[in-house]
Amino acid sequence: MLNGKKILYSGMQATGTLTLGNYLGALKNWVTLDEEYECLYGVMDLHSLTVRQNAAEFRKNARSLYALYVAAGLDPEKNCIYYQSHVSGHTELSWILGCFTYMGELNRMTQFKDKAAKHADNINAGLYTYPVLMAADILLYQADVVPVGVDQKQHLEITRDIAQRFNALYGDVFTVPEAYIAKSGAKIMSLQDPLKKMSKSDENVNAAIFLLDEKDVIIRKFKRAVTDSGCEVRYGEDKPGVSNLMDIYSCVTGRDYAAIEKEFEGKGYGDFKLAVGEAVAEELSPLQTRYRELMADKTYLDSMIKMNDEKAAYYASKTLRKVQKKVGLTEKIK
């Protein structure tokens, strides 16, 4: 608990530009959470280092991500939005927790296997111990709840296991986090392969809508989106392409599937894809305008980053000092 509210923790990696999937599946739903929770959102730049980065581009992407958080509606004065790498407690706690994590647990992590297959030329130790750093991210702030997708459930489970193991040895040190299940939001799939998740790292530029794509680019990508046999706009397992577009249209317009099916009854896929593209472009337009304003206002953005970095460091230091004392590390002489 913090300021009388439960603590919610989440973040996104600082690589590339966020996609429509990131926005509709997570970011858009975060905006009102500060009414119920004390929220912390990290620009997860340390996690991004498991893949080689161009330094200048990486710094630019991290700042862009911070601005996108705010442009999407996260108020940096109500939510603690900070850079992961600016709080040294993440790496300090990660080392300690690594000493309470078993090799067998890390060997079972399916995301490591998936990423190792994608980056066979760079299977590094950071990729392997990624779940320990993620556990440190969460436990450092005594998070009560963590929004998780299907691909992150294992990471939350290992975080809970580490916390419970540590608590069993040293008492009630860590809050054991629970999964936060969003009331709304969809898993948005690739526009070119509706059987896989939309990804900002997809090599096919037409597979993803990026939050900073211009209107004509958005409409062009939707026109090229893969659909299914037939021409009926209908939701169903046998129509993954159309169903994905209906998910997107539903998220941005608020219409349910029955209303969408009725709206496009007797119309073809061309009309539907154009309508989805225009609706998405309209949804993203205010975000893009606000993003450009923020990126142009260096003073404001820097002040928010500094304020929230300091706030996050303060919260983190309280947990870290407690952990260091419990495991027997010698306190600094003041």
Side-chain angles (χ1 to χ4, degrees), residues 29-264:
N29 299 308
W30 291 355
V31 174
T32 58
L33 292 178
D34 60 44
E35 297 171 7
E36 185 177 354
Y37 298 99
E38 194 70 28
C39 301
L40 294 102
Y41 298 109
V43 172
M44 312 310 283
D45 46 359
L46 291 175
H47 283 297
S48 304
L49 295 176
T50 59
V51 177
R52 298 285 177 264
Q53 303 291 341
N54 173 287
E57 187 178 318
F58 185 35
R59 282 189 285 270
K60 182 181 176 181
N61 285 340
R63 190 173 181 86
S64 177
L65 175 58
Y66 196 101
L68 282 171
Y69 279 166
V70 181
L74 293 179
D75 186 340
E77 298 196 36
K78 293 181 180 178
N79 302 273
C80 184
I81 308 170
Y82 74 102
Y83 278 71
Q84 181 192 29
S85 64
H86 292 182
V87 180
S88 62
H90 286 265
T91 49
E92 292 181 71
L93 183 59
S94 181
W95 172 255
I96 295 172
L97 295 184
C99 298
F100 291 84
T101 307
Y102 299 132
M103 295 285 287
E105 291 174 312
L106 294 177
N107 288 338
R108 290 192 292 271
M109 301 302 289
T110 56
Q111 198 169 50
F112 168 73
K113 297 170 187 175
D114 294 341
K115 289 193 174 183
K118 289 181 182 178
H119 304 281
D121 59 335
N122 183 25
I123 305 175
N124 55 72
L127 196 60
Y128 184 66
T129 59
Y130 186 107
V132 183
L133 179 56
M134 184 174 281
D137 300 334
I138 297 165
L139 299 179
L140 192 59
Y141 299 99
Q142 303 292 351
D144 295 283
V145 293
V146 181
V148 289
V150 175
D151 55 347
Q152 298 292 342
K153 281 185 177 179
Q154 262 197 323
H155 286 154
L156 184 60
E157 287 167 7
I158 197 173
T159 298
R160 287 172 53 83
D161 290 342
I162 294 168
Q164 289 166 341
R165 183 174 302 133
F166 196 94
N167 287 351
L169 289 167
Y170 298 108
D172 190 17
V173 178
F174 293 121
T175 299
V176 180
E178 301 284 346
Y180 172 83
I181 308 300
K183 295 172 184 173
S184 61
K187 183 177 181 181
I188 304 302
M189 312 305 282
S190 163
L191 296 185
Q192 293 299 308
D193 182 356
L195 298 180
K196 72 176 187 180
K197 189 176 177 182
M198 184 179 284
S199 170
K200 56 186 174 182
S201 60
D202 200 308
E203 293 180 2
N204 188 334
V205 294
N206 292 310
I209 300 295
F210 297 100
L211 296 192
L212 299 178
D213 280 347
E214 295 181 359
K215 181 176 181 178
D216 62 334
V217 174
I218 292 171
I219 290 175
R220 184 169 68 248
K221 286 182 179 180
F222 274 110
K223 283 182 176 179
R224 295 174 179 174
V226 170
T227 47
D228 314 285
S229 58
C231 59
E232 184 185 10
V233 176
R234 174 178 55 79
Y235 200 90
E237 289 184 9
D238 61 326
K239 299 177 81 69
V242 171
S243 295
N244 184 42
L245 296 181
M246 289 180 70
D247 280 332
I248 293 170
Y249 196 62
S250 176
C251 283
V252 299
T253 64
R255 295 172 194 160
D256 61 23
Y257 301 138
I260 296 170
E261 289 173 2
K262 185 175 181 180
E263 181 183 352
F264 293 96

Side-chain angles (χ1 to χ4, degrees), residues 276-288:
V276 179
E278 290 180 337
V280 168
E282 185 178 346
E283 170 82 9
L284 296 183
S285 180
L287 179 151
Q288 293 173 350

